[in-house]
């Protein structure tokens, strides 16, 4: 069975990540979380409609897709693309988790320089 996870943050990743994204990544890569490998997931900032369209084509290749979306509590409600990503879950192909987290962990605490985060 092939699998892929997308961890989506509410902020650009250039200066760090929301704490819950870091914690969820750590969980996925642990034995308890399924020992996911780096090539089985991606972490990204906010998405736009064009990116979601490209992503959906890629995700159709996988048997199981996990989408973890972390918003700031002050964010606007789900955008149009959110429903499109949820459609992947039809037929039991995956899980969509939506969470809220205001705390951001800076790039330097994650072990990389801000310039590296931009790459």
């Amino acid at each position: 069975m092939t699998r892929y996870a997308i961890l989506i943050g509410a902020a650009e990743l250039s200066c760090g990540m929301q704490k819950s994204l870091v914690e969820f990544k750590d969980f996925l890569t642990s034995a308890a979380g399924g020992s996911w490998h780096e090539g089985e997931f991606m972490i990204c900032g906010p998405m736009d409609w064009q990116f979601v369209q490209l992503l959906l084509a890629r995700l159709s290749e996988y048997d199981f897709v996990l989408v973890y979306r972390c918003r700031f509590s002050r964010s606007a409600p789900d955008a149009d693309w959110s429903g499109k990503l949820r459609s992947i879950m039809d037929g039991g192909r995956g899980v969509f988790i939506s969470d809220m987290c205001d705390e951001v962990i800076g790039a330097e605490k994650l072990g990389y320089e801000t310039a590296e985060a931009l790459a």
Side-chain angles (χ1 to χ4, degrees):
M1 181 170 102
T2 58
R3 63 186 183 178
Y4 198 75
I6 305 157
L7 311 181
I8 307 166
E12 295 299 330
L13 304 179
S14 58
C15 294
M17 281 191 275
Q18 288 166 268
K19 183 179 179 196
S20 63
L21 285 180
V22 175
E23 292 170 346
F24 203 80
K25 175 190 179 278
D26 290 345
F27 172 71
L28 286 179
T29 56
S30 73
S35 301
W36 293 63
H37 303 285
E38 292 289 329
E40 293 181 308
F41 63 88
M42 76 173 195
I43 301 172
C44 62
M47 294 185 174
D48 62 26
W49 183 252
Q50 290 176 331
F51 184 72
V52 170
Q53 295 293 71
L54 294 172
L55 188 59
L56 287 174
R58 178 178 178 190
L59 295 178
S60 67
E61 302 170 11
Y62 296 95
D63 297 318
F64 179 81
V65 176
L66 185 150
V67 177
Y68 178 79
R69 179 176 179 225
C70 182
R71 302 183 296 153
F72 290 131
S73 58
R74 61 186 174 274
S75 294
D78 288 350
D80 291 339
W81 58 260
S82 178
K84 195 71 168 167
L85 282 176
R86 281 188 177 93
S87 72
I88 296 166
M89 309 319 140
D90 294 343
R93 284 197 51 231
V95 176
F96 188 101
I97 302 168
S98 185
D99 194 9
M100 292 187 191
C101 179
D102 285 335
E103 188 176 347
V104 175
I105 299 174
E108 69 285 348
K109 290 184 181 176
L110 294 171
Y112 58 86
E113 297 295 323
T114 302
E116 291 177 57
L118 293 169

